[in-house]
Amino acid sequence: MAGELTIGGLECLFTGSVWAEGPLWVPSSRTVRWSDIPNDRILEFDPATGTTREYAVGVEYTNGRTLDADGSVVQCSHGRRRVERDSEGTVTRLVDSFEGRRLNSPNDVVVASDAAIWFTDPPYGILPGTKEGHEGEQEYGGCNVFRFEPATGVLTAVITDLVHPNGLAFSPDESVLYVADTAGSRYGVPLRIAAYSVDHGTCGPRIGALELEDGYPADGLRVDVEGRIWTSAGPSVRVYTPSFQLLDTIKVPETVSNLCFGGPDGQDLYLTATTSLYRIRTTTTDAAARTFPPNHN
Ligand code: MG
């Protein structure tokens, strides 16, 4: 099915965060932007200079982010319990409540080709003692995956049968949505990636699930143009076929939280892993790059 896949060596680009998450290649600045959640800041790495700077501080604990169709950044904020847009540094609310109740702490987000924003809403930013947000109540009583239509303001709960939905990504034709569930045995469920059929913005039943071989959690994940699933998996990145056959394991010295494709040709894989940002050269690109080419401005 797939073109030949080659995966290069691991480069460490930056060390100095507490818990790095939410990497995104930002085409307009040709940088990788990511969250250092407990330090409540957003960092940015410029591959042209090899340097990292603070993009913003006091950001209310941002986590995952993605590109909108206009090139602006859509990101999750634990502290504001919302999904928001960052357009050239101006941050505005997109959605923060469901049926009149506040969201938990949106974790990760993708934008579909119809401009709908799909995001997960586990409780990690409101749990007692959290260092990734502010303690609070789960107001609507669940942890859903939501679909938000910016044009109409309609928010729909599309998946309600996962315990702590976390990373998510569409297959290249957007007919399947993969969602990691990081709840685990404390909640009586396996650490897993669940697959759901999707049709015209409607999510169907679960059609499959992967339990990682050695019990590592999958947090953030991406899908490449060939439909392969690239997921964080403890101190590694795993690559799977669309039907969850393991293709490759990339060992990393720290626990990996999330990843993104980027770079000048979209074939660099950037990893956020605890204190560090890493890069791996590949021969593939993100599935969504067809909609959002990595070099568009
Ligand atoms: Mg996450």
Side-chain angles (χ1 to χ4, degrees):
M1 60 143 214
E4 189 178 337
L5 177 64
T6 305
I7 298 173
L10 187 71
E11 287 175 87
C12 185
L13 305 170
F14 171 83
T15 296
S17 51
V18 172
W19 181 244
E21 247 281 14
L24 174 71
W25 177 254
V26 181
S28 57
S29 53
R30 302 193 180 206
T31 54
V32 180
R33 188 179 298 176
W34 77 99
S35 301
D36 179 5
I37 306 179
N39 280 326
D40 196 21
R41 61 180 180 167
I42 299 171
L43 298 171
E44 210 165 53
F45 172 77
D46 181 348
T49 61
T51 57
T52 292
R53 69 175 182 118
E54 280 184 339
Y55 170 78
V57 297
V59 294
E60 284 300 339
Y61 306 95
T62 65
N63 191 337
R65 52 180 52 78
T66 193
L67 272 190
D68 209 347
D70 65 358
S72 62
V73 173
V74 174
Q75 65 192 19
C76 299
S77 164
H78 288 180
R80 296 189 178 105
R81 304 176 67 157
R82 73 182 191 183
V83 178
E84 56 194 24
R85 170 177 282 120
D86 181 334
S87 296
E88 312 265 328
T90 300
V91 180
T92 51
R93 176 179 61 90
L94 284 165
V95 59
D96 61 5
S97 64
F98 174 57
E99 297 179 338
R101 295 181 170 87
R102 283 193 296 173
L103 301 174
N104 300 324
S105 50
N107 190 293
D108 217 339
V109 59
V110 290
V111 176
S113 55
D114 66 356
I117 296 169
W118 297 59
F119 64 95
T120 56
D121 192 32
Y124 298 118
I126 57 171
L127 293 173
T130 185
K131 293 183 167 56
E132 300 194 355
H134 310 291
E135 292 182 25
E137 298 297 316
Q138 288 183 235
E139 295 191 4
Y140 66 84
C143 293
N144 294 339
V145 180
F146 289 105
R147 178 181 183 270
F148 177 66
E149 279 190 355
T152 62
V154 172
L155 181 69
T156 307
V158 287
I159 297 173
T160 58
D161 66 350
L162 294 175
V163 182
H164 287 171
N166 201 316
L168 76 174
F170 284 106
S171 65
D173 64 0
E174 297 185 358
S175 67
V176 178
L177 179 69
Y178 300 99
V179 188
D181 185 342
T182 43
S185 56
R186 263 192 305 162
Y187 294 84
V189 295
L191 295 160
R192 59 193 168 179
I193 298 172
Y196 296 82
S197 62
V198 176
D199 186 22
H200 292 91
T202 302
C203 211
R206 197 184 303 172
I207 55 173
L210 166 74
E211 289 179 34
L212 270 62
E213 294 76 7
D214 38 18
Y216 287 129
D219 186 339
L221 57 108
R222 304 277 183 176
V223 173
D224 72 20
V225 284
E226 305 282 0
R228 292 173 292 231
I229 304 154
W230 297 66
T231 182
S232 59
S236 70
V237 171
R238 304 278 168 83
V239 188
Y240 294 92
T241 68
S243 54
F244 293 135
Q245 301 302 304
L246 180 65
L247 291 172
D248 215 328
T249 297
I250 305 160
K251 288 195 165 68
V252 179
E254 303 179 75
T255 297
V256 181
S257 62
N258 212 331
L259 41 87
C260 72
F261 289 96
D265 62 1
Q267 296 185 11
D268 293 326
L269 185 73
Y270 286 93
L271 319 178
T272 46
T274 313
T275 69
S276 302
L277 180 75
Y278 294 89
R279 178 171 58 197
I280 302 166
R281 186 72 185 150
T282 78
T283 51
T284 191
T285 58
D286 195 287
R290 294 185 307 174
T291 314
F292 311 118
N295 275 323
H296 91 290
N297 274 302

